[in-house]
Amino acid sequence: MAMELSRRQVLRGAAAGATVAFTANPLVAAAAATPVLGEYDVVVVGAGAAGMTAALTAARRGLSTVVVEKAPTFGGSAARSGAGIWIPNNEVILAAGVPDTPQKAAGYLSAVVGPSVPAARQQAFLANGPAMISFVMANSPLRFRWMEGYSDYYPELPGGMPNGRSIEPDYLDGNVLGAELAHLNPAYLTVPAGMVVFSADYKWLNLAAVNAKGAAVAAECLARGTAAALRGEKPLTMGQSLAGGLRAGLLAANVPVWLNTPLQDLVIENGRATGVLVSRDGSAGLVRARRGVIVGSGGFEHNAAMRTQYQRQPTGWSVGAKENTGDGIRAGQRAGAALDLMDDAWWGPAIPLPDQPYFCLAERTLPGGLIVDTGGDRFVNEAAPYSDVVHVMYDRNPNDQCIPAWLIVDQNYRNRYLFKDVLPTLPLPNDWYASGAVFRSSTVDGLAGAIGIPPATLRRTVTRFNSLAWSGADADFRRGASAYDHYYTDPGVFPNSCLAALWLPPYYAFKIVPGDLGTKGGMRTDARARVLRADGSVIPGLYAAGNASAAVMGRSYAGAGSTIGPAMTFGYIAGNDV
Ligand SMILES: Cc1cc2nc3c(=O)[nH]c(=O)nc-3n(C[C@H](O)[C@H](O)[C@H](O)COP(=O)(O)OP(=O)(O)OC[C@H]3O[C@@H](n4cnc5c(N)ncnc54)[C@H](O)[C@@H]3O)c2cc1C
């Protein structure tokens, strides 16, 4: 049970600093009195993509709003992210000439997601997404750019767009945040010193050694960095820009963000969410919400017990923010919320490097690499959408072991492409080898022996793959058949830019495990972002958005930005509805 307060126990209108006695919640039964830290129209839990958008919306609608944040920083996974945002028909892509229409978007989303997600929620996302982007631009320093060429993930479906409809935040000078910049959650990957890099640049930076446009983009990133330094700016892009820009919007709207203030439980009074119990400065406190509580506390990617309870094993190679331990989902569940999609996540193949999992995008799909299972056979189109690749890994396990799988490349691949932050031709760090994440051998047989795969099978697989690459058609897994497959490839490779033979020793094997950007299961919500019970009734005053709620994408992933786009949109919907 969430913390139930009777009317008598709740001192309505009490000023901050007053105390409230609890009796019903076992978590706090021992506490004689809990101080009231404040009373607002809206309490938002979590300062990530969903939470900050919700708070900005509620505040700009004239509601007094506070954000309680568990971490000592703001931004959550959103700040760590590449911040691709998938919102069809937003004003940025329409101004750029993208031929999107509401009909195309609706057809595509329903084809991707299917009937498991109610049509009303899909429609709410599509109808409110463009308004949300316009609202954010009007109420924060954020501006956005079209990620031209980043295909929808299923561009061949009706309404799919091979040239993409995703956007990402534009450059932001961190000086707009003043001292608050010090509290911005750091990015997952550090951009090379002196460069200003957008998500859309990565495709080209990988190719800088072999492609004229790649070299030009690298030079442009450097030039941007130099110009920013000369202007005395603190450049923010990708998730840093998104989180920084939303926080700047909250600063301008006078919305306090209380760091180091984790939600402990929801306060439910006569069936209605009326506040939150938090811990602040080491002691419990109550924050009252006159109109409602919006939970944007992210997923449960770093809660091992929940992952064991709900998900297929092995799992847990997440790159999400470490504070995302499902606290809001658990609190919602105690308040009666139904949960959906708890077995799923925003999956992607990852390499378990010693410091943290590496969510590999281009490395997995560039030509000259193939992925094999522990028997040495290919089992998937390596360039398929990352979520799909991991679904296949789980579906085939344990009969045909794919966990771990192995990405096999040769020295020719290594000479041509960036691998994470290791420049072409340069040796991989020793600790990658020492940790068992990477192996190298001068022969395919030797590599197979090192990773425990039958040498004859791996040799046969590589030989077969090479013949497919020379023919230009992957008759086995259709790699390169979709326009999406060609995003992270090398246009200089013929006849199929997705496929190149492996021929130059030494050969390398990278361990591939099912990583994730975060989980996608959580509280079931309706088209107004209101939290639902199992019988479909609404829990009054309680909203959820982002990874604390079950994803509007269902088990799929429509295009780059399919987590942040809906997270911000349903945060916006909640902020309006409350
Ligand atoms: C490296 C990386 C790259 C990514 N790239 C993309 C991308 O390009 N496009 C895309 O769409 N998605 C991307 N994602 C995923 C995306 O960042 C997340 O899915 C998204 O941020 C989820 O939004 P959210 O608001 O639900 O959670 P978050 O942004 O993680 O925010 C949740 C917040 O809640 C806080 N919190 C947790 N528990 C509590 C508590 N008990 N009390 C108070 N606060 C709490 C957390 O500290 C955090 O600040 C990426 C993720 C990562 C890690």
Side-chain angles (χ1 to χ4, degrees), residues 350-363:
I351 302 169
L353 295 181
D355 49 346
Q356 60 180 342
Y358 177 57
F359 196 95
C360 50
L361 288 173
E363 293 83 353

Side-chain angles (χ1 to χ4, degrees), residues 173-188:
D173 176 9
N175 285 317
V176 295
L177 285 164
E180 192 59 9
L181 181 61
H183 297 128
L184 174 58
N185 198 21
Y188 164 64

Side-chain angles (χ1 to χ4, degrees), residues 47-49 52-53 56 73-81 83 85 136 139-144 169-187 234-253 257 564 568:
M52 288 201 284
T53 310
L56 186 62
T73 54
F74 67 88
S77 290
R80 291 167 64 76
S81 78
I85 301 174
V136 166
N139 291 284
S140 79
L142 274 169
R143 296 294 174 268
F144 299 93
D170 210 336
Y171 174 91
L172 184 72
D173 176 9
N175 285 317
V176 295
L177 285 164
E180 192 59 9
L181 181 61
H183 297 128
L184 174 58
N185 198 21
K234 296 177 174 146
L236 303 178
T237 56
M238 300 185 269
Q240 296 284 285
S241 172
L242 179 66
L246 288 172
R247 182 71 186 94
L250 294 181
L251 280 172
V257 177
I564 293 178
M568 294 177 72

Side-chain angles (χ1 to χ4, degrees), residues 449-461:
I451 58 178
I453 284 181
T457 314
L458 187 61
R459 211 182 321 126
R460 191 190 65 217
T461 299

